[in-house]
Amino acid sequence: MGFTTDLQGTSGPGETNGRVVVIGAGLAGSEAAWQAAQAGTWVELWEMRPQVMTPAHQTGDCAELVCSNSLHSNRLESASGLLKEELRRLDSVILAAADAHAVPAGQALAVERRVFAQDVTARLQAHPRIRMVRRERQALWPLDAVTVVATGPLTSPALAKDIAAFVGTDFLYFYDAAAPIVTAESIDYSRAFWGSRYQRGQADYLNCPLSEEEYRVFWQALVEAEQAPLEAADAEMHYFEGCLPVEVMARRGPETLAYGPLKPVGLRDPRTGKRPYAVVQLRREDREGRLFNLVGFQTRLKWGEQERVFRMIPALANAEFVRFGVMHRNTFLNAPQVLLPTYQSRREPRLFFAGQMTGVEGYIESCASGLIAGRNAARLAQGLEPLAFPRETMLGAMARFITEADPGNFQPMNATLALLPPLEPAVRDKRRRHQLLAERALQALERFIRGL
Ligand SMILES: Cc1cc2nc3c(=O)[nH]c(=O)nc-3n(C[C@H](O)[C@H](O)[C@H](O)COP(=O)(O)OP(=O)(O)OC[C@H]3O[C@@H](n4cnc5c(N)ncnc54)[C@H](O)[C@@H]3O)c2cc1C
């Protein structure tokens, strides 16, 4: 049906199969629109560019990649590679265009960005059941159809205000100030101990002690480490005092951290019976305790620098980082409070959210959430029950993570194999484990597809 700029003829031939509105034609919205249309519904896809631009996008194309042209690993035994394979098996328009316009990038899938985005745009415009509306959607209401909101980390202010009013201002964030996350299996437990300050409550924190000498070396490295440059979109960001990057706090003086997030008060190392000089506390990131975040370590250091400096904490000498700390502009929901694993709003089942704003992080992760939201929006519009994907798949594991994470400490997350349920019995060899997790995921997906 193609490209239009007005709203005439919104009830189209697919009306009998239901109608779905998708707001935002980025990575998530493009996929959601495609999936809903392929499922037989009539889709109205809203995109405000090129009329209204975001601080990061350069064109009016759908699915524009705002920064890197890499969609990360294509290896099946990696989380990102597995996710891509799942998407391919589910007729993803983003993956089809990416594979068609890949450029040599070793084991990663990287694309010729302009041609890739133009191809996605052309495929959407050529779809007989998709109609594009090139306008900013300024309000959520009235909700006259099942709707998928996929307006991304740079959602326009008017709509963001409306979303905040709907979900509650406590559940919509505008900046991502996240601390790094490490896998539980990579922590050296012989150099850490469980406990909470003054033994109050349960021993929920894993404490990583530092001697005075270790602390001094760590502090020096931290203040000298290189920060990532500010993106244009982030230039307006001002730090809140309660949320300063750890390296900025460290630069205030050699003891600031020891009296701040690394203060050892109320903690005794059971191996020495003494209070350590400083303590880095780790807190569970997921219910099962497979991932831990470094409490108070929101940071803007370059990722390589984070790995180098944070591994100076003795218990983290071999830490595997599944997510690095970031601080940038990012509009996202407190998904554990707001969403179901079907990507539906808990309060209004006809409203779906998809993409980075649901707390998934990255191009492919955003596309994946768009795929689930689009398929489920179509199901709902056709009078069918929306479905949660199996948790053994990367698609399902991500949806479960964002909706089951600790809401008090929720931060966006990339796909990682650590989100998948562990194998039983456990497999020690990492390579073999990753292979088996990928095989199990694809089998679960095939069963799920057959059951549809
Ligand atoms: C500066 C920056 C750099 C990034 N770099 C990377 C990277 O290198 N690798 C990576 O994996 N991820 C990166 N990300 C994260 C990236 O945004 C997401 O991975 C991905 O683009 C999110 O997909 P999305 O569909 O949720 O949002 P987007 O792709 O941003 O799509 C949202 C769309 O909604 C439109 N829109 C917004 N408001 C409205 C409205 N009211 N009405 C109509 N349309 C609207 C926007 O114009 C946009 O087209 C970066 C993000 C930013 C901000």
Side-chain angles (χ1 to χ4, degrees):
M1 183 50 60
F3 195 136
T4 57
T5 49
D6 59 42
L7 274 171
Q8 309 227 319
T10 45
S11 57
E15 191 70 32
T16 49
N17 287 328
R19 190 169 71 96
V20 168
V21 171
V22 178
I23 313 176
L27 275 298
S30 298
E31 190 64 54
W34 177 260
Q35 294 289 334
Q38 288 289 84
T41 51
W42 174 249
V43 178
E44 194 177 283
L45 174 58
W46 287 61
E47 173 53 58
M48 67 180 186
R49 291 178 292 117
Q51 265 185 33
V52 180
M53 296 297 282
T54 78
H57 291 82
Q58 310 272 321
T59 73
D61 297 335
C62 302
E64 179 183 329
L65 304 177
V66 287
C67 187
S68 165
N69 69 331
S70 170
L71 307 181
H72 302 288
S73 179
N74 232 347
R75 284 178 42 248
L76 194 54
E77 305 78 31
S78 71
S80 186
L82 173 59
L83 188 57
K84 288 191 194 69
E85 183 55 27
E86 292 179 4
L87 291 168
R88 285 188 186 99
R89 293 187 184 198
L90 291 161
D91 176 35
S92 158
V93 69
I94 297 291
L95 258 293
D99 286 334
H101 303 292
V103 294
Q107 292 189 316
L109 175 60
V111 299
E112 202 179 331
R113 75 172 72 231
R114 195 69 214 269
V115 188
F116 158 77
Q118 284 167 347
D119 188 7
V120 174
T121 311
R123 289 177 198 238
L124 294 172
Q125 285 178 357
H127 199 291
R129 282 185 293 278
I130 297 177
R131 199 173 73 82
M132 284 202 71
V133 181
R134 292 281 184 169
R135 289 236 306 267
E136 178 187 357
R137 176 80 180 236
Q138 295 194 323
L140 270 183
W141 318 108
L143 208 62
D144 62 351
V146 176
T147 298
V148 180
V149 181
T151 43
L154 306 171
T155 295
S156 73
L159 187 64
K161 205 168 147 207
D162 231 28
I163 296 171
F166 169 66
V167 299
T169 43
D170 287 349
F171 301 125
L172 184 72
Y173 311 117
F174 295 97
Y175 294 101
D176 190 353
I181 296 174
V182 297
T183 60
E185 62 179 12
S186 68
I187 299 167
D188 182 350
Y189 292 90
S190 70
R191 305 171 99 174
F193 62 94
W194 290 98
S196 50
R197 291 188 203 282
Y198 306 109
Q199 284 98 45
R200 278 194 207 117
Q202 292 196 319
D204 284 341
Y205 288 86
L206 188 56
N207 300 289
C208 308
L210 290 96
S211 66
E212 183 171 358
E213 199 192 335
E214 287 161 346
Y215 174 80
R216 302 248 169 265
V217 175
F218 170 70
W219 176 81
Q220 194 66 42
L222 186 57
V223 294
E224 288 170 1
E226 213 184 328
Q227 281 192 321
L230 272 183
E231 298 280 352
D234 303 334
E236 68 201 69
M237 183 166 116
H238 301 291
Y239 300 126
F240 299 108
E241 194 58 22
C243 201
L244 282 179
V246 66
E247 64 277 10
V248 171
M249 211 185 295
R251 280 191 214 119
R252 290 183 171 176
E255 296 305 319
T256 310
L257 290 182
Y259 287 96
L262 273 65
K263 65 177 180 284
V265 292
L267 293 168
R268 227 159 259 290
D269 187 339
R271 286 160 311 171
T272 61
K274 291 191 186 144
R275 187 165 102 172
Y277 189 78
V279 169
V280 174
Q281 291 200 298
L282 307 184
R283 184 169 45 210
R284 276 192 189 84
E285 185 66 25
D286 58 335
R287 246 187 232 171
E288 294 82 5
R290 293 182 297 238
L291 301 172
F292 282 84
N293 66 66
L294 281 67
V295 178
F297 270 59
Q298 54 278 357
T299 174
R300 272 197 41 233
L301 293 187
K302 285 189 162 174
W303 290 4
E305 290 287 80
Q306 292 187 33
E307 204 162 48
R308 180 179 69 80
V309 176
F310 299 154
R311 281 186 177 162
M312 290 178 175
I313 299 159
L316 302 183
N318 297 310
E320 184 191 353
F321 290 80
V322 296
R323 167 187 175 136
F324 289 102
V326 288
M327 300 191 81
H328 56 68
R329 192 172 148 195
N330 190 8
T331 311
F332 67 101
L333 301 164
N334 187 312
Q337 295 280 8
V338 173
L339 295 182
L340 297 169
T342 51
Y343 287 93
Q344 263 168 306
S345 145
R346 287 177 188 269
R347 256 183 63 202
E348 169 49 89
R350 289 180 309 146
L351 190 57
F352 289 76
F353 289 89
Q356 181 109 351
M357 68 181 331
T358 64
V360 299
E361 171 102 28
Y363 298 144
I364 290 299
E365 289 85 343
S366 296
C367 159
S369 69
L371 181 140
I372 299 183
R375 284 185 166 229
N376 277 332
R379 287 181 69 86
L380 193 67
Q382 293 168 347
L384 299 168
E385 193 69 20
L387 297 172
F389 275 57
R391 57 172 77 228
E392 291 79 14
T393 62
M394 208 60 245
L395 277 155
M398 272 184 358
R400 307 288 174 156
F401 174 79
I402 60 159
T403 50
E404 293 175 3
D406 171 10
N409 182 39
F410 182 64
Q411 289 294 339
M413 185 62 153
N414 287 111
T416 157
L417 293 177
L419 298 181
L420 296 170
L423 293 166
E424 282 175 21
V427 176
R428 283 183 67 82
D429 179 65
K430 202 168 165 181
R431 222 185 147 139
R432 183 75 192 127
R433 185 166 71 240
H434 290 178
Q435 269 171 359
L436 291 173
L437 286 170
E439 278 170 26
R440 186 185 65 178
L442 294 178
Q443 283 162 9
L445 183 65
E446 290 302 329
R447 276 197 302 277
F448 179 72
I449 294 171
R450 277 198 301 276
L452 288 175

